[in-house]
Amino acid sequence: AQSVTQLDSQVPVFEEAPVELRCNYSSSVSVYLFWYVQYPNQGLQLLLKYLSGSTLVKGINGFEAEFNKSQTSFHLRKPSVHISDTAEYFCAVILTGGGNKLTFGTGTQLKVEL
Amino acid sequence: SAVISQKPSRDICQRGTSLTIQCQVDSQVTMMFWYRQQPGQSLTLIATANQGSEATYESGFVIDKFPISRPNLTFSTLTVSNMSPEDSSIYLCSVGNRGAYNEQFFGPGTRLTVL
């Protein structure tokens, strides 16, 4: 079975500073990888996804993530955060050819401070 | 993308009662899912809602506790039966279409508090 680990439950950062949210996964087969964002009292919104091809993927709101197969990681980065980026971020995987079930990590609370 | 609405957006219920949550999407979709997000936790898949047949439940979830209906390709309901305080969670509906991968779109969620 696959699993997703988000090593940091909370990440505080000052506005305009860079940030990296870490995500590692374990799976015996290839996976598709996703990052979702959940703003307070809202549903989840897709930030970006990796399906195949270039290992660096760019998403909305200036976020990007890099797929590293050897390290089974898919870390999310943003070079300069804004106060509006304060939210919960979830990493998730789907097994290729294994149906459509999303397995989520435990989430990372990003808190941007002035 | 799809526009998904859920009703109610939140509710406070007494233990032992049941609540039915509705999920409506603005276009036909092949896949509909129900997730639970307990306070401070991640999302856990409850079941896949299958149109015209019984839902497919994940380990730890049973039909008697979480009956699901899906009468057509744009609508589904999840009932939380015989509620206890442990059922206090956010319940989210998501939708997608069958394909090489399934990008899921999520509804805004239903925040349930059981007293």
Side-chain angles (χ1 to χ4, degrees), chain B residues 82-111:
Chain B
N82 188 25
M83 288 183 285
S84 67
E86 292 69 37
D87 294 320
S88 296
S89 294
I90 299 173
Y91 292 86
L92 295 110
C93 167
S94 76
V95 305
N97 284 305
R98 204 180 304 275
Y101 75 95
N102 186 14
E103 179 176 339
Q104 294 183 27
F105 301 95
F106 285 80
T110 296
R111 186 177 296 270

Side-chain angles (χ1 to χ4, degrees), chain A residues 16-112:
Chain A
E16 298 184 4
V19 69
E20 179 179 83
L21 306 184
R22 296 180 291 171
C23 173
N24 289 85
Y25 68 93
S26 66
S27 174
S28 58
V29 300
S30 297
V31 297
Y32 300 124
L33 295 152
F34 304 82
W35 275 99
Y36 283 86
V37 59
Q38 185 178 34
Y39 297 104
N41 300 314
Q42 295 187 29
L44 274 72
Q45 180 183 3
L46 182 66
L47 269 180
L48 49 78
K49 58 183 181 284
Y50 172 79
L51 306 179
S52 65
S54 173
T55 57
L56 182 64
V57 293
K58 294 187 183 298
I60 62 172
N61 302 339
F63 284 93
E64 63 180 32
E66 185 158 19
F67 170 55
N68 187 319
K69 187 175 183 179
S70 63
Q71 297 186 5
T72 61
S73 67
F74 191 55
H75 301 333
L76 181 70
R77 294 191 288 261
K78 186 170 183 178
S80 176
V81 295
H82 189 268
I83 197 82
S84 60
D85 293 323
T86 295
E88 188 87 18
Y89 291 80
F90 292 96
C91 183
V93 304
I94 291 177
L95 297 182
T96 58
N100 299 303
K101 298 178 185 178
L102 271 169
T103 299
F104 284 89
T106 51
T108 297
Q109 176 67 43
L110 175 64
K111 185 174 182 181
V112 182

Side-chain angles (χ1 to χ4, degrees), chain B:
Chain B
S1 64
V3 177
I4 305 153
S5 61
Q6 286 186 233
K7 291 182 182 179
S9 58
R10 58 178 62 226
D11 207 342
I12 300 173
C13 301
Q14 298 296 320
R15 70 168 66 213
T17 63
S18 298
L19 176 72
T20 295
I21 302 168
Q22 298 180 1
C23 176
Q24 179 76 55
V25 62
D26 67 344
S27 58
Q28 292 187 345
V29 292
T30 52
M31 313 289 288
M32 295 184 80
F33 305 89
W34 287 98
Y35 290 83
R36 180 176 72 182
Q37 185 179 19
Q38 293 177 300
Q41 303 295 318
S42 186
L43 284 80
T44 302
L45 180 63
I46 297 172
T48 303
N50 300 310
Q51 194 255 334
S53 65
E54 192 171 286
T56 304
Y57 289 84
E58 297 300 304
S59 175
F61 298 97
V62 295
I63 187 171
D64 289 346
K65 176 66 176 177
F66 297 102
I68 289 171
S69 78
R70 189 173 173 197
N72 56 51
L73 294 178
T74 62
F75 185 78
S76 177
T77 66
L78 168 75
T79 299
V80 186
S81 304
N82 188 25
M83 288 183 285
S84 67
E86 292 69 37
D87 294 320
S88 296
S89 294
I90 299 173
Y91 292 86
L92 295 110
C93 167
S94 76
V95 305
N97 284 305
R98 204 180 304 275
Y101 75 95
N102 186 14
E103 179 176 339
Q104 294 183 27
F105 301 95
F106 285 80
T110 296
R111 186 177 296 270
L112 171 62
T113 302
V114 184
L115 302 177

